[in-house]
Amino acid sequence: MQTSTLMVIVALFAISAFVLAKKRSREVATIEGGLKKLHSRPAYYGSFAAILAAVPAVILLLIWQAIEPSLVHSLVMAQIPSSTLQAHESMTLLYSQIVHIANGVLKTEDPALLAASEHYHHLQSIGLTLRWVAVLTVSLVGLAAGWRMVRPKLKARHYVEKCLQLFLMFCSTLAILTTAGIVLSVLFEAIRFFQIIPVTDFLFGTQWSPQIALRADQQGASGAFGAIPLFTGTLMISFIAMCIAAPIGLMSAIYLAEYASPRVRNIVKPVLEILAGIPTVVYGFFAALTAAPFIRDVAESIGLSNVSSESALAAGAVMGVMIIPFVSSLSDDVITAVPQSLRDGSLGLGATRSETIRKVVLPAALPGIVGGLLLAVSRAIGETMIVVMAAGLSANLTANPLDSVTTVTVQIVTLLVGDQEFDSPKTLAAFALGLTLFVVTLALNFVALRIVKKYREQYD
């Protein structure tokens, strides 16, 4: 709460700096003979002053927030007698008790802990005061500096654009570092797993039973880590989903972009996109309570026996309905963006509307359509809730869509649910599955980019 209040005050100072500097730039322009005498427009002078009032203060606050906890921890623990430290095995637990005592959550009669909690409370009070004084002082100094620096020759626009460029570079670097951190964290844990389980057993094994036996006579804990059943289930469900989503979504996009009237388009498109706003758990309930029993009854009515109440067909069909808006919306935007001159030229040469769509519009929109299909495939591969509720958790190696199967993402969630120790193959297998999924998705994107590059057509 204290930090958020401080941020609000800094934001008010930045707004004040913007208004005052902009007003002062207009006054200076009036004295100098008009706005044309200024290097930049008044809004840039205001933005420059707002940056000086906000950015240094925010940076100082972030640095303070990062350093203060460890500094307070060191000062508090340094005041605790050695006898008290030796009586506690965990320093982290001891410091947590001191914090709780200082906050009034715990009660104790230990004079050492009471003194440490008072010292902690005293340091927190000093830190809070110094934080407010330092941050507000820096913000006020920036406000005053931005106001005083307003003059005709100040290159405010250059400074503002440079600051925006640095901010964008920071965001890009942060995104890259985040991606690298995720990949490396998964990679290191996967390497630990492959040091225990051979890569060939994982990639080509046909039995998936990640339970590890804790004793010799334990049953049902074979510890088999063959991921072929998981890959098969993932591909089967994703294929069924795309068989439904791709044609329906693409045909819907063609109708809305080329044939529908504006009135129909304004009604149908929002209604279609409502499907994208439905939570996946709702789709899961629908698949488990309606789609799966319906498919089982239909299969039994035509003479098929041993049909599972949870099936890949039910999960894939409902997932395909969920993915339709992704394909439709993206494909519609891409088709609409094709220049009208291409359509007019094709129609002028005597082609029908359907021929124009098939031979001109769709080839021009192919890169965007492929991108939409890729997004839909990624959505299908990463879906978990529908598979859990409609396809089950059984890792069956089968090509029958009426059987119960599971996917890679479902097993990742299952392996990491609850309190787990990250030193057993059972838990580390989740990271191996994640790394495999990442590599497959990366390869899929690479192939798609090659296809798009090959068939992309440039239009003036």
Side-chain angles (χ1 to χ4, degrees):
M1 181 63 69
Q2 297 290 343
T3 302
S4 60
T5 304
L6 189 56
M7 291 292 292
V8 170
I9 296 176
V10 171
L12 293 176
F13 282 169
I15 295 174
S16 301
F18 177 83
V19 174
L20 294 175
K22 184 178 180 180
K23 181 179 179 182
R24 179 174 171 80
S25 66
R26 293 184 180 276
E27 294 175 353
V28 171
T30 303
I31 296 173
E32 296 292 335
L35 292 177
K36 62 182 181 180
K37 298 295 184 180
L38 296 178
H39 177 275
S40 307
R41 298 181 63 86
Y44 283 105
Y45 290 95
S47 300
F48 179 64
I51 290 174
L52 292 180
V55 174
V58 172
I59 293 176
L60 176 62
L61 180 60
L62 294 177
I63 295 175
W64 195 292
Q65 291 287 99
I67 295 177
E68 184 183 22
S70 58
L71 182 60
V72 172
H73 178 274
S74 300
L75 294 176
V76 170
M77 298 303 289
Q79 298 293 325
I80 300 177
S82 58
S83 59
T84 304
L85 294 176
Q86 295 174 358
H88 291 78
E89 297 181 357
S90 175
M91 297 298 101
T92 303
L93 180 59
L94 176 60
Y95 183 73
S96 178
Q97 291 178 353
I98 294 172
V99 173
H100 289 323
I101 293 172
N103 294 330
V105 178
L106 295 178
K107 301 293 184 180
T108 184
E109 300 296 334
D110 191 337
L113 295 181
L114 290 175
S117 63
E118 292 178 359
H119 187 51
Y120 171 83
H121 191 273
H122 178 66
L123 292 175
Q124 287 287 332
S125 300
I126 295 176
L128 179 62
T129 303
L130 292 177
R131 185 196 316 163
W132 275 74
V133 171
V135 173
L136 294 182
T137 300
V138 171
S139 182
L140 285 173
V141 169
L143 188 154
W147 183 82
R148 289 181 60 86
M149 290 174 65
V150 175
R151 58 183 184 273
K153 295 183 179 181
L154 177 65
K155 300 179 180 180
R157 179 171 62 86
H158 293 173
Y159 294 137
V160 171
E161 291 179 352
K162 189 65 175 179
C163 291
L164 292 177
Q165 181 181 359
L166 292 175
F167 176 72
L168 295 177
M169 290 177 59
F170 170 77
C171 293
S172 301
T173 305
L174 183 63
I176 294 173
L177 293 178
T178 302
T179 304
I182 294 174
V183 173
L184 291 177
S185 63
V186 174
L187 177 61
F188 290 151
E189 298 299 330
I191 291 175
R192 292 178 57 192
F193 171 78
F194 290 130
Q195 290 175 348
I196 303 174
I197 304 297
V199 179
T200 54
D201 293 350
F202 174 76
L203 293 178
F204 304 107
T206 59
Q207 295 292 328
W208 177 262
S209 179
Q211 300 297 329
I212 299 296
L214 300 179
R215 58 184 186 275
D217 60 343
Q218 184 175 350
Q219 300 296 324
S222 58
F225 292 93
I228 290 294
L230 308 186
F231 300 150
T232 304
T234 302
L235 293 176
M236 182 188 298
I237 293 177
S238 300
F239 177 75
I240 295 172
M242 291 307 300
C243 286
I244 295 176
I248 296 178
L250 184 57
M251 298 305 170
S252 301
I254 294 174
Y255 170 75
L256 292 175
E258 300 294 332
Y259 293 102
S261 63
R263 181 180 179 182
V264 173
R265 175 183 172 87
N266 293 335
I267 295 175
V268 174
K269 188 172 183 179
V271 173
L272 185 63
E273 291 181 349
I274 289 177
L275 294 174
I278 299 177
T280 56
V281 67
V282 177
Y283 283 108
F285 272 116
F286 175 76
L289 300 179
T290 304
F294 174 77
I295 292 174
R296 181 190 58 195
D297 294 341
V298 171
E300 292 178 350
S301 65
I302 62 177
L304 298 177
S305 59
N306 299 324
V307 179
S308 175
S309 58
E310 298 175 328
S311 63
L313 182 59
V318 176
M319 191 184 300
V321 174
M322 180 192 68
I323 295 173
I324 288 176
F326 292 91
V327 179
S328 176
S329 180
L330 292 175
S331 300
D332 175 65
D333 294 338
V334 172
I335 294 173
T336 305
V338 174
Q340 183 62 33
S341 60
L342 296 178
R343 299 180 177 87
D344 296 339
S346 176
L347 295 173
L349 291 174
T352 63
R353 177 175 289 186
S354 61
E355 290 174 339
T356 300
I357 294 173
R358 186 174 67 254
K359 296 183 179 181
V360 177
V361 176
L362 290 183
L366 180 62
I369 293 174
V370 172
L373 294 177
L374 275 178
L375 179 61
V377 171
S378 300
R379 187 74 174 86
I381 292 176
E383 177 56 38
T384 303
M385 186 58 66
I386 295 177
V387 181
V388 170
M389 302 181 70
L393 301 175
S394 301
N396 297 322
L397 180 58
T398 177
N400 184 4
L402 298 178
D403 286 341
S404 175
V405 297
T406 188
T407 62
V408 173
T409 55
V410 171
Q411 288 300 312
I412 291 175
V413 173
T414 304
L415 293 173
L416 296 180
V417 168
D419 296 332
Q420 303 290 345
E421 295 182 356
F422 289 86
D423 57 355
S424 66
K426 176 183 177 181
T427 306
L428 296 176
F431 296 94
L433 291 174
L435 180 63
T436 306
L437 196 62
F438 172 78
V439 172
V440 170
T441 305
L442 185 63
L444 180 64
N445 291 337
F446 177 77
V447 172
L449 289 175
R450 298 288 297 179
I451 295 175
V452 170
K453 183 178 180 180
K454 181 178 179 180
Y455 293 100
R456 176 178 294 163
E457 296 183 22
Q458 301 292 338
Y459 297 91
D460 295 331

Coordinates of all heavy atoms in Angstrom, one line a residue, residues 377-407:
V377 N -3.1 -24.4 -34.1 CA -2.4 -25.6 -33.7 C -1.7 -25.5 -32.3 O -1.8 -26.4 -31.5 CB -1.4 -26.0 -34.8 CG1 -0.5 -27.1 -34.3 CG2 -2.1 -26.3 -36.1
S378 N -1.1 -24.3 -32.1 CA -0.5 -24.1 -30.8 C -1.5 -24.1 -29.7 O -1.3 -24.6 -28.6 CB 0.3 -22.8 -30.8 OG 1.3 -22.8 -31.8
R379 N -2.6 -23.5 -30.0 CA -3.7 -23.5 -29.0 C -4.2 -24.9 -28.7 O -4.5 -25.3 -27.5 CB -4.9 -22.7 -29.5 CG -6.0 -22.4 -28.5 CD -5.6 -21.4 -27.5 NE -6.7 -21.1 -26.6 CZ -7.0 -21.8 -25.5 NH1 -6.3 -22.9 -25.2 NH2 -8.0 -21.4 -24.7
A380 N -4.3 -25.7 -29.7 CA -4.8 -27.1 -29.5 C -3.8 -27.9 -28.8 O -4.1 -28.7 -27.9 CB -5.1 -27.8 -30.9
I381 N -2.5 -27.8 -29.1 CA -1.4 -28.6 -28.4 C -1.3 -28.2 -26.9 O -1.1 -29.0 -26.1 CB -0.1 -28.4 -29.1 CG1 -0.1 -29.0 -30.5 CG2 1.1 -29.0 -28.3 CD1 1.1 -28.8 -31.3
G382 N -1.5 -26.9 -26.6 CA -1.4 -26.4 -25.3 C -2.6 -26.6 -24.4 O -2.6 -26.2 -23.2
E383 N -3.7 -27.0 -25.0 CA -5.0 -27.1 -24.2 C -4.9 -28.2 -23.2 O -4.4 -29.3 -23.5 CB -6.2 -27.3 -25.1 CG -7.5 -27.4 -24.4 CD -7.8 -26.3 -23.4 OE1 -7.5 -25.1 -23.7 OE2 -8.3 -26.6 -22.3
T384 N -5.4 -28.0 -22.0 CA -5.3 -29.0 -20.9 C -6.6 -29.4 -20.3 O -7.0 -30.5 -20.2 CB -4.4 -28.5 -19.8 OG1 -3.1 -28.1 -20.3 CG2 -4.2 -29.5 -18.7
M385 N -7.5 -28.4 -20.0 CA -8.7 -28.6 -19.3 C -9.7 -29.5 -20.0 O -10.2 -30.5 -19.4 CB -9.4 -27.3 -18.9 CG -10.6 -27.4 -18.0 SD -10.2 -28.2 -16.4 CE -9.1 -27.0 -15.7
I386 N -9.8 -29.3 -21.3 CA -10.8 -30.1 -22.1 C -10.3 -31.5 -22.1 O -11.1 -32.5 -22.0 CB -10.9 -29.5 -23.5 CG1 -11.6 -28.1 -23.4 CG2 -11.8 -30.4 -24.4 CD1 -11.7 -27.5 -24.8
V387 N -9.0 -31.7 -22.3 CA -8.4 -33.1 -22.4 C -8.6 -33.8 -21.0 O -9.0 -35.0 -21.0 CB -7.0 -33.0 -22.8 CG1 -6.4 -34.5 -22.9 CG2 -6.8 -32.3 -24.1
V388 N -8.4 -33.1 -19.9 CA -8.5 -33.8 -18.6 C -10.0 -34.2 -18.4 O -10.2 -35.4 -17.9 CB -8.1 -32.8 -17.5 CG1 -8.5 -33.3 -16.1 CG2 -6.6 -32.5 -17.6
M389 N -10.9 -33.4 -18.8 CA -12.3 -33.7 -18.5 C -13.0 -34.6 -19.5 O -13.9 -35.3 -19.2 CB -13.1 -32.4 -18.4 CG -12.6 -31.5 -17.3 SD -13.5 -29.9 -17.1 CE -15.0 -30.6 -16.4
A390 N -12.5 -34.6 -20.8 CA -13.2 -35.4 -21.8 C -12.4 -36.5 -22.4 O -12.9 -37.5 -22.9 CB -13.5 -34.4 -23.0
A391 N -11.0 -36.5 -22.3 CA -10.2 -37.6 -22.8 C -9.6 -38.5 -21.8 O -9.1 -39.6 -22.1 CB -9.1 -37.0 -23.7
G392 N -9.5 -38.0 -20.5 CA -9.0 -38.8 -19.4 C -7.5 -38.6 -19.2 O -6.8 -37.7 -19.8
L393 N -6.9 -39.5 -18.4 CA -5.5 -39.4 -18.0 C -4.8 -40.7 -18.4 O -3.6 -40.8 -18.1 CB -5.4 -39.2 -16.5 CG -6.0 -37.9 -15.9 CD1 -5.9 -37.9 -14.4 CD2 -5.4 -36.7 -16.5
S394 N -5.4 -41.6 -19.1 CA -4.8 -42.9 -19.4 C -3.9 -42.7 -20.6 O -4.3 -42.2 -21.7 CB -5.8 -43.9 -19.7 OG -6.7 -44.1 -18.6
A395 N -2.6 -43.1 -20.4 CA -1.6 -43.0 -21.5 C -1.7 -44.2 -22.3 O -0.9 -45.1 -22.2 CB -0.2 -42.8 -20.9
N396 N -2.7 -44.3 -23.2 CA -2.9 -45.5 -24.1 C -2.3 -45.2 -25.5 O -2.5 -44.1 -26.1 CB -4.4 -45.8 -24.2 CG -5.0 -46.1 -22.9 OD1 -4.4 -46.8 -22.1 ND2 -6.3 -45.7 -22.7
L397 N -1.5 -46.2 -26.0 CA -1.0 -46.1 -27.3 C -2.0 -46.7 -28.3 O -2.1 -47.9 -28.4 CB 0.4 -46.8 -27.4 CG 1.1 -46.8 -28.8 CD1 1.3 -45.3 -29.2 CD2 2.4 -47.6 -28.7
T398 N -2.8 -45.9 -28.9 CA -3.9 -46.3 -29.8 C -4.1 -45.3 -30.9 O -3.8 -44.1 -30.8 CB -5.2 -46.5 -28.9 OG1 -6.2 -46.9 -29.8 CG2 -5.6 -45.2 -28.3
A399 N -4.6 -45.8 -32.0 CA -5.0 -45.0 -33.1 C -6.6 -44.9 -33.2 O -7.1 -44.3 -34.1 CB -4.5 -45.6 -34.4
N400 N -7.3 -45.4 -32.2 CA -8.7 -45.4 -32.2 C -9.2 -44.1 -31.5 O -8.9 -43.9 -30.3 CB -9.3 -46.6 -31.5 CG -10.8 -46.7 -31.5 OD1 -11.4 -45.8 -32.1 ND2 -11.3 -47.7 -30.8
P401 N -9.8 -43.2 -32.2 CA -10.3 -42.0 -31.5 C -11.4 -42.2 -30.5 O -11.7 -41.2 -29.8 CB -10.8 -41.1 -32.7 CG -11.2 -42.1 -33.8 CD -10.2 -43.3 -33.6
L402 N -11.9 -43.4 -30.4 CA -12.9 -43.6 -29.4 C -12.4 -44.1 -28.1 O -13.1 -44.3 -27.1 CB -14.0 -44.6 -29.9 CG -14.8 -44.2 -31.2 CD1 -15.7 -45.3 -31.6 CD2 -15.5 -42.9 -30.9
D403 N -11.0 -44.3 -28.0 CA -10.4 -44.7 -26.8 C -10.0 -43.5 -25.9 O -9.9 -42.4 -26.4 CB -9.1 -45.5 -27.1 CG -9.5 -46.9 -27.6 OD1 -10.6 -47.4 -27.4 OD2 -8.6 -47.6 -28.3
S404 N -9.7 -43.8 -24.7 CA -9.3 -42.7 -23.8 C -7.8 -42.5 -24.0 O -7.0 -43.5 -24.0 CB -9.6 -43.1 -22.3 OG -9.0 -42.2 -21.4
V405 N -7.4 -41.3 -24.1 CA -5.9 -40.9 -24.3 C -5.6 -39.7 -23.4 O -6.5 -39.2 -22.7 CB -5.6 -40.6 -25.8 CG1 -5.8 -41.8 -26.6 CG2 -6.4 -39.4 -26.2
T406 N -4.3 -39.4 -23.4 CA -3.9 -38.2 -22.7 C -2.9 -37.4 -23.5 O -2.4 -38.0 -24.6 CB -3.3 -38.5 -21.3 OG1 -3.1 -37.4 -20.6 CG2 -2.0 -39.3 -21.5
T407 N -2.5 -36.2 -23.1 CA -1.6 -35.4 -23.9 C -0.4 -35.0 -23.0 O -0.4 -35.2 -21.8 CB -2.3 -34.1 -24.4 OG1 -2.8 -33.4 -23.3 CG2 -3.5 -34.5 -25.2

